[in-house]
């Protein structure tokens, strides 16, 4: 675990329940309309540093307005690199003061999953719209609390499902909606990579680790989006080939989903195997995508010769711009909190099945 997260955990109790549930004026919700919305990134790990911050240099409807970090050296580096005003730099302890900052309209939570609920709720209480990285949270109860807090404070909650903003993924979602090849019969969906790290939040149960909390969501989304349905039952099996590293959580998960229409999906996800593909077999054809959930380069084909290959400069930039437009126009988000909840409901059933060795109704 890096210094920032250690600092965060050590100060968690200092922040306290009082700040978690204190009320704040709805600054973001009631302010004048802006041409570009200000985003504050909470947590400055790899995803914020290497992907979100660069993407925010390409966005048209939002910009990097602030940061929240527990590491002073990171704060100084980001302040200089992105010309962030001192008043827009927060720590985990004084985070709630963000309520009084009109520069910041959106808080983007990019922390380990176990921390998502607290910071989404605190951001909502501060009157800020919220983007939250996937997985939404470790439990259904957490997801429901996050959704409720945002609704109560009249702010929007978007889950960082960048792939749903990718036209290559939208292409196979449209096939399911239009039933171009008839009904879906079978889906094969896989997402995984070999993770050489030995001390990361993804390997710690208390922080929301386990492959289902990371790559597993992509494998699951592949099945859900390809069928356009929600699964009704699952049978799953967890395993690891490196028990000295994956002591608390699974390294690999395989699961079979049943859908209301009769479609089935065989899904695999792993921190020990490189794999990233989707194959959908319909009544009258097929669709293949490989990779299916990369940061770029997702592409595929269909049995009628249709090629799926829509170049995209930055999924993250497109995601944030489209979510900002939904906030500006008060329209539906592509992936709201309810979408994150749907996945976690299935994930909970997957863990229950893996533990019992039996099929579980969802």
């Amino acid at each position: 675990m890096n210094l920032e997260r250690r600092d965060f955990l050590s100060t968690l109790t200092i922040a306290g329940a009082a700040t978690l549930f204190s009320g704040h004026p709805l600054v973001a919700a009631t302010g004048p309309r802006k041409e570009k919305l200000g985003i504050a990134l909470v947590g400055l790990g790899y995803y914020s540093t290497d992907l979100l911050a660069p993407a925010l240099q390409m966005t048209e409807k939002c910009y990097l307005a602030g940061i929240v970090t527990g590491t002073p050296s990171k704060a100084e580096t980001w302040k200089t690199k992105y010309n962030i005003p001192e008043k827009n730099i927060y720590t985990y302890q004084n985070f709630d003061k963000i309520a009084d900052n009109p520069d910041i309209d959106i808080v983007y939570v990019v922390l380990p999953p176990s921390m998502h609920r607290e910071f989404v709720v605190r951001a909502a209480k501060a009157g800020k719209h919220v983007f939250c990285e996937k997985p939404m949270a470790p439990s259904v109860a957490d997801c429901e609390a996050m959704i409720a807090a945002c609704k109560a404070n009249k702010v929007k909650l978007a889950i960082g499902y960048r792939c749903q903003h990718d036209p290559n993924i939208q292409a196979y979602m449209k096939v399911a909606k239009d039933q171009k090849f008839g009904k879906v019969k079978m889906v094969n969906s896989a997402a995984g990579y070999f993770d050489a790290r030995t001390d990361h939040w993804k390997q710690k149960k208390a922080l929301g680790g386990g492959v289902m909390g990371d790559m597993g969501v992509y494998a699951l989304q592949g099945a859900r989006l390809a069928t356009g349905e929600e699964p009704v039952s699952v049978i799953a099996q967890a395993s690891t080939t490196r028990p000295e590293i994956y002591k608390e959580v699974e390294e690999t998960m395989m699961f079979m989903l049943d859908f209301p229409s009769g479609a089935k999906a065989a899904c695999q996800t792993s921190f020990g195997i490189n794999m990233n593909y989707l194959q959908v077999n319909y009544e009258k054809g097929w669709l293949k995508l490989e990779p299916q959930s990369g940061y770029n380069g997702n592409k595929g084909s269909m049995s009628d010769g249709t090629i799926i290959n829509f170049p995209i400069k930055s999924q993250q930039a497109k995601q944030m711009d489209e979510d900002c437009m939904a906030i500006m126009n008060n329209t539906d988000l592509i992936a709201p909190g309810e979408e994150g909840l749907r996945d976690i409901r299935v994930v909970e059933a997957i863990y229950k099945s893996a533990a019992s060795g039996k099929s579980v109704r969802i």
Side-chain angles (χ1 to χ4, degrees), residues 100-294:
D100 304 316
N101 192 335
D103 292 352
I104 296 169
D105 306 285
I106 300 162
V107 168
Y108 199 146
V109 179
V110 200
L111 294 163
S114 62
M115 304 173 186
H116 287 184
R117 175 176 176 171
E118 177 182 356
F119 277 86
V120 167
V121 171
R122 288 172 74 176
K125 293 285 185 181
K128 306 300 180 182
H129 298 291
V130 188
F131 297 167
C132 179
E133 259 313 301
K134 63 87 195 153
M136 185 174 175
S139 72
V140 166
D142 286 340
C143 295
E144 291 175 338
M146 293 156 70
I147 292 169
C150 290
K151 285 184 176 178
N153 289 279
K154 298 182 174 59
V155 295
K156 286 188 179 289
L157 171 60
I159 307 304
Y161 285 135
R162 56 185 172 77
C163 286
Q164 291 199 30
H165 296 261
D166 187 323
N168 297 285
I169 278 66
Q170 292 172 347
Y172 75 73
M173 293 172 65
K174 189 175 188 302
V175 172
K177 182 178 179 181
D178 295 346
Q179 293 202 340
K180 178 176 180 176
F181 301 119
K183 293 183 179 180
V184 175
K185 304 299 287 184
M186 172 63 80
V187 177
N188 283 277
S189 181
Y193 67 94
F194 184 84
D195 194 337
R197 292 172 295 194
T198 60
D199 185 25
H200 190 263
W201 72 260
K202 293 177 183 179
Q203 295 148 358
K204 301 179 186 300
K205 187 174 183 179
L207 295 181
V211 74
M212 282 309 304
D214 184 42
M215 299 307 292
V217 173
Y218 294 119
L220 172 57
Q221 284 255 316
R224 288 183 52 243
L225 302 181
T227 60
E229 296 184 289
E230 298 305 319
V232 293
S233 68
V234 63
I235 186 164
Q237 182 181 52
S239 63
T240 180
T241 59
R242 295 178 287 170
E244 71 280 6
I245 299 172
Y246 292 89
K247 303 172 185 177
E248 303 174 8
V249 297
E250 78 285 353
E251 178 186 26
T252 298
M253 185 74 80
M254 301 177 67
F255 53 100
M256 178 76 78
L257 300 167
D258 291 302
F259 291 88
S261 65
K264 293 183 180 294
C267 304
Q268 305 89 38
T269 185
S270 180
F271 284 144
I273 306 168
N274 291 313
M275 51 183 173
N276 196 326
Y277 61 84
L278 176 76
Q279 177 160 340
V280 190
N281 289 93
Y282 308 89
E283 291 176 305
K284 303 171 185 177
W286 53 261
L287 178 151
K288 298 178 182 178
L289 211 68
E290 188 171 3
Q292 68 145 324
S293 59

